[in-house]
């Protein structure tokens, strides 16, 4: 055995049934956790299931938990992990286990489908409107999202409360609602959709209590809480306490 061997404790199993299996594997300078998973597959555990694609932090496939923290396996350098402790690899805790490190992230795609698409304004010809730079920058930040779902996995409102899943879209998709609500050209209201009301009533914005764990784990360093969730909460509150909206709701109920 090389002096640079490290112990890995990897959750192995299927459909939620299983346990930890220990391996020792050689680690070389500069390697990331996914390198070690690949070495294990090549040498000791050919049937170890892991999802990955780009190995460049851009496809969002290799999400798992390293020592209990949601991370991209391909972007986690071995050198950032405590050198004297085993490296513990587990699947994302908030989603059903498929096999070994692979989880079923269908929940996220279902939530994505619940967010109504951008509605272009009627009668606006291409090139007729010039976006302000700050509006462009806001959308660009949110669109750096690689859909790794680490934020969805870490948010306690999902992670610790399976029962919330039906009502709560999670930070990634509330960020999408925020992006659309703040888009200067979105004309969803012309279709009868009130994005702010839907953020609260359909996507569960109230479940977020601004713990910012989502922002901490985002590999794209998107300021999910400060730039999307808090502004969306402010916009929902503005709408709720707008005297005209209040009056309209009273008249509408008569
Ligand atoms: Fe991943 Fe960040 Fe997108 Fe969440 S917002 S899915 S953590 S890239
Ligand atoms: Fe969850 Fe992020 Fe809010 S972690 S509670 S969505 S700030
Ligand atoms: Fe693509 Fe890790 S393999 S993000």
């Amino acid at each position: 055995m090389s002096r640079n061997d490290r112990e890995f404790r990897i959750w192995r199993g299927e459909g939620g049934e299983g346990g930890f299996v220990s391996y020792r594997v050689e680690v070389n300078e500069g390697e990331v956790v996914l390198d070690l998973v690949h070495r294990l597959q090549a040498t000791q555990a050919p049937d170890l299931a892991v999802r990955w694609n780009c190995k460049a932090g851009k496809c969002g496939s290799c999400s798992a938990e390293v020592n209990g923290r949601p991370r991209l396996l391909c972007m986690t350098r071995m050198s950032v992990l405590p050198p004297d402790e085993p490296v513990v690899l587990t699947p994302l805790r908030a989603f059903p286990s498929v096999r070994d490190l692979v989880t079923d992230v269908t929940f996220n795609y279902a939530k994505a489908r619940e967010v109504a698409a951008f509605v272009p304004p009627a009668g606006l010809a291409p090139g007729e409107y010039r976006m302000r730079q700050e509006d462009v920058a806001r959308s660009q930040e949110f669109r750096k999202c690689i859909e790794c779902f680490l934020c969805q996995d870490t948010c306690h409102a999902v992670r610790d409360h399976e029962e919330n899943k039906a009502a709560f879209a999670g930070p990634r998709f509330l960020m999408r609602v925020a992006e659309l609500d703040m888009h200067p050209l979105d004309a969803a209201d012309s279709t009868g959709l009130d994005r702010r009301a839907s953020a609260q009533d359909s996507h569960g914005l109230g479940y977020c209590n601004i713990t910012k764990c989502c922002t901490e784990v985002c590999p794209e360093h998107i300021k999910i809480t400060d730039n999307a969730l808090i502004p969306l909460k402010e916009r929902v509150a503005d709408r709720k306490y707008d005297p005209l909206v209040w009056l309209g709701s009273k008249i509408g109920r008569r």
Side-chain angles (χ1 to χ4, degrees):
M1 286 280 181
S2 150
R3 278 187 304 155
N4 292 328
D5 280 3
R6 289 286 299 273
E7 182 181 354
F8 272 67
R9 299 189 69 223
I10 304 181
W11 192 89
R12 306 278 327 252
E14 218 166 321
E17 299 291 317
F20 284 96
V21 179
S22 291
Y23 303 92
R24 289 201 73 84
V25 60
E26 182 186 334
V27 177
N28 300 311
E29 195 176 341
E31 286 183 322
V32 294
V33 173
L34 188 59
D35 288 318
L36 282 306
V37 171
H38 286 164
R39 185 162 300 132
L40 280 170
Q41 287 177 321
T43 57
Q44 304 176 47
D47 60 343
L48 171 60
V50 63
R51 189 181 281 133
W52 69 284
N53 202 324
C54 69
K55 203 169 179 283
K58 287 297 161 206
C59 72
S61 305
C62 65
S63 302
E65 299 194 3
V66 182
N67 296 346
R69 181 186 165 94
R71 286 180 178 274
L72 295 180
L73 298 180
C74 75
M75 297 302 284
T76 304
R77 286 195 178 275
M78 288 297 297
S79 56
V80 306
L81 304 176
D84 303 323
E85 295 170 17
V87 179
V88 179
L89 301 187
T90 43
L92 296 176
R93 196 177 95 188
F95 309 121
S97 148
V98 176
R99 192 155 77 89
D100 301 340
L101 298 176
V102 176
T103 43
D104 177 353
V105 292
T106 302
F107 163 77
N108 300 288
Y109 298 114
K111 292 297 173 184
R113 278 194 292 273
E114 289 172 10
V115 180
F118 173 78
V119 180
L124 186 70
E128 262 182 16
Y129 184 89
R130 186 177 288 260
M131 295 264 285
R132 290 190 307 163
Q133 187 51 40
E134 65 188 83
D135 291 326
V136 173
R138 188 189 312 109
S139 279
Q140 278 179 336
E141 182 191 17
F142 298 156
R143 280 169 180 261
K144 285 192 302 179
C145 175
I146 59 170
E147 306 234 299
C148 63
F149 307 132
L150 295 182
C151 59
Q152 300 282 97
D153 178 59
T154 205
C155 176
H156 68 98
V158 168
R159 190 177 179 85
D160 301 329
H161 298 279
E162 182 70 25
E163 70 278 11
N164 288 349
K165 280 186 174 173
F168 183 52
R172 193 274 168 263
F173 300 105
L174 286 166
M175 181 173 82
R176 175 71 178 146
V177 175
E179 180 193 351
L180 291 166
D181 190 51
M182 291 189 262
H183 196 295
L185 290 183
D186 179 58
D189 53 354
S190 69
T191 68
L193 173 67
D194 182 334
R195 288 206 190 270
R196 293 177 205 180
S198 78
Q200 195 74 4
D201 302 339
S202 307
H203 305 298
L205 181 62
Y207 287 83
C208 167
N209 56 355
I210 318 184
T211 58
K212 299 198 179 186
C213 310
C214 50
T215 302
E216 280 172 25
V217 299
C218 178
E220 286 294 317
H221 307 292
I222 302 170
K223 293 193 170 68
I224 306 168
T225 320
D226 287 351
N227 290 349
L229 304 182
I230 292 173
L232 186 58
K233 280 176 176 284
E234 289 169 349
R235 292 163 79 85
V236 167
D238 281 352
R239 179 194 172 282
K240 189 167 176 188
Y241 297 110
D242 180 331
L244 290 178
V245 173
W246 178 84
L247 191 62
S249 70
K250 294 289 171 199
I251 293 169
R253 271 197 224 134
R254 283 190 183 163

